[in-house]
Amino acid sequence: MTTPALELVEVTKIFQKDKEKVKAVDSVSLSVSKGEMVIFLGPSGCGKTTTLRMIAGFELPTSGRISIDGAEMTNVPVNKRGIGFVFQNYALFPHMSVFNNVAYGLRSRGEVDSIIQGKVNDALALVGLANAGNRYPNQLSGGEQQRVALARVLVMEPKLLLMDEPLSNLDAKLRIYMRTEIRRIQKKLGITCLYVTHDQAEALTMADRIMVMNKGRVEQVGTPYDLYSQPQSLFVADFIGQANILKVPVTGIHGETVQAAMPGGWVLSARATIPERIEPGKNASLVIRPENVLVVSKAQKEGHLPARVMSAIFMGSHIEYHLDLGDMGSLIAFSSFKPGMHIFNEDDEVSVVLDSAVSMFLPA
């Protein structure tokens, strides 16, 4: 059996705040394979950064165990863990050249100049800054500074690369470019990487697996595809991408298929990700993504829900409809834009068709 690059077992962190104890991280367990990129995703205050800081050694867990490459690291000092940390702020030395910023850790470790020269040049080439060694941080763009910070960590050849919201200070277009670059470098080196973000687009496009956290606990761990298509809780369904959640009465359960009564007397059948927690005669949550909602002209047909257009927003690639379903609530629909297509207007009476093949039921 292969030894995990990282293993967390029931890791918990309790802070004393005024006279109260606050459980910032609650019994988090995780196993990370060598060369894997795992992203910690969740809203502010969910415990993802505290978990990362405990892995790094900046915080000690109240209880639980942390292992790196099979070695117990729970109480080992930061400098003995073999990790590299890229912070939200780049923390570059302004009075040092790019070369000397990257070389700093190697010099502190006592490596000879000839070795340092080769390693720094290789690291700068890897991050696309081969000709920037003589420049200073104030002569670089935000994206270039972030790449210097990354090179400074990579040159130390860490066992684990930890990154805490490294792109949050960049503009939207540069963030998209840098997340592609970071993923390229991580895969090329085969380095194990843990990455904290609250940005779901970063998580979905970069991760091998995502650990979704909420209120200090792990909601679900899985591939981006699994989390999007098979969420195990309403929190995950709503946090990963956009989701419409409608409360509907359950009329029957057949294996993993749940049936629910819909307005107009027809029955909708769709899969359930946790069928054992859904009961006939009670409400369940019908989860459907906006791209799987079809908006058509008003018609009295089985499988159609009457709706009123509250707004129609042109997003370039699609029209975003906000729809009123009356007593059922509201939902959002994305209709792919094609030149010449009919676009419904505010207050238009329409019908909504739900794609049951990609809808799912979760406990209410």
Side-chain angles (χ1 to χ4, degrees):
M1 184 175 176
T2 305
T3 302
L6 170 75
E7 189 170 29
L8 308 180
V9 180
E10 298 290 316
V11 173
T12 297
K13 180 65 178 179
I14 299 173
F15 289 106
Q16 188 77 34
K17 188 175 182 182
D18 297 326
K19 294 183 180 180
E20 294 184 18
K21 289 184 177 180
V22 178
K23 191 175 281 188
V25 176
D26 189 357
S27 302
V28 169
S29 295
L30 177 70
S31 181
V32 180
S33 300
K34 287 180 171 62
E36 191 176 22
M37 175 173 266
V38 176
I39 290 187
F40 298 176
L41 178 69
S44 297
C46 72
K48 55 189 185 296
T49 292
T50 301
T51 302
L52 196 76
R53 288 175 62 83
M54 286 191 287
I55 295 167
F58 297 133
E59 301 280 357
L60 293 179
T62 306
S63 62
R65 181 168 58 83
I66 299 171
S67 300
I68 297 175
D69 280 348
E72 172 79 30
M73 290 285 169
T74 310
N75 296 300
V76 173
V78 178
N79 61 334
K80 302 290 186 182
R81 296 195 180 200
I83 58 97
F85 205 111
V86 178
F87 297 92
Q88 186 174 348
N89 61 341
Y90 314 130
L92 301 178
F93 299 115
H95 62 287
M96 289 186 183
S97 67
V98 166
F99 183 95
N100 288 329
N101 262 283
V102 176
Y104 182 82
L106 296 173
R107 290 195 174 117
S108 299
R109 199 161 68 183
E111 298 212 18
V112 298
D113 286 346
S114 58
I115 298 295
I116 290 172
Q117 182 79 39
K119 286 187 174 182
V120 172
N121 287 342
D122 288 346
L124 288 175
L126 184 66
V127 299
L129 293 173
N131 299 316
N134 293 326
R135 295 161 69 187
Y136 285 81
N138 64 2
Q139 297 173 312
L140 304 176
S141 68
E144 288 170 331
Q145 289 182 44
Q146 182 62 78
R147 282 186 275 167
V148 174
L150 181 57
R152 184 176 58 184
V153 170
L154 293 176
V155 79
M156 302 298 290
E157 300 175 347
K159 295 177 185 176
L160 282 178
L161 174 61
L162 310 184
M163 309 185 80
D164 186 12
E165 306 233 28
L167 307 182
S168 59
N169 295 330
L170 305 180
D171 63 59
K173 191 171 183 178
L174 190 53
R175 285 180 73 137
I176 293 172
Y177 171 75
M178 281 304 300
R179 71 193 189 202
T180 304
E181 276 296 284
I182 289 171
R183 182 60 165 152
R184 176 188 67 80
I185 292 166
Q186 182 266 333
K187 290 178 76 172
K188 182 174 181 179
L189 295 177
I191 191 170
T192 308
C193 181
L194 305 176
Y195 185 112
V196 162
T197 184
H198 63 270
D199 186 322
Q200 55 178 268
E202 279 181 25
L204 289 171
T205 55
M206 295 176 69
D208 291 308
R209 287 189 299 150
I210 300 170
M211 181 171 79
V212 181
M213 297 187 69
N214 181 35
K215 297 179 180 178
R217 297 189 65 85
V218 176
E219 288 274 344
Q220 189 176 344
V221 180
T223 65
Y225 175 82
D226 286 342
L227 293 179
Y228 193 81
S229 61
Q230 299 185 63
Q232 298 296 303
S233 70
L234 288 177
F235 178 85
V236 174
D238 196 36
F239 197 80
I240 301 288
Q242 284 184 268
N244 296 298
I245 300 172
L246 303 173
K247 302 292 190 229
V248 292
V250 175
T251 59
I253 302 175
H254 305 281
E256 294 184 352
T257 301
V258 170
Q259 295 177 325
M262 304 299 284
W266 59 282
V267 173
L268 182 142
S269 297
R271 65 189 172 90
T273 55
I274 321 173
E276 63 274 12
R277 289 174 52 196
I278 296 175
E279 298 180 45
K282 295 188 177 181
N283 280 350
S285 295
L286 175 64
V287 179
I288 184 164
R289 301 292 183 184
E291 63 269 23
N292 298 322
V293 177
L294 179 64
V295 183
V296 298
S297 298
K298 187 176 181 180
Q300 299 292 332
K301 292 183 180 179
E302 183 175 297
H304 287 221
L305 293 174
R308 180 181 63 84
V309 177
M310 294 189 289
S311 64
I313 305 167
F314 177 65
M315 302 295 290
S317 61
H318 64 274
I319 311 299
E320 181 176 309
Y321 289 112
H322 292 249
L323 304 161
D324 179 11
L325 299 182
D327 292 341
M328 285 193 73
S330 62
L331 55 71
I332 298 172
F334 296 161
S335 296
S336 297
F337 174 72
K338 300 177 181 63
M341 69 181 288
H342 177 71
I343 299 174
F344 296 103
N345 297 311
E346 186 176 334
D347 288 329
D348 279 354
E349 297 294 327
V350 296
S351 287
V352 166
V353 183
L354 309 180
D355 188 344
S356 60
V358 287
S359 302
M360 70 195 91
F361 284 105
L362 283 167

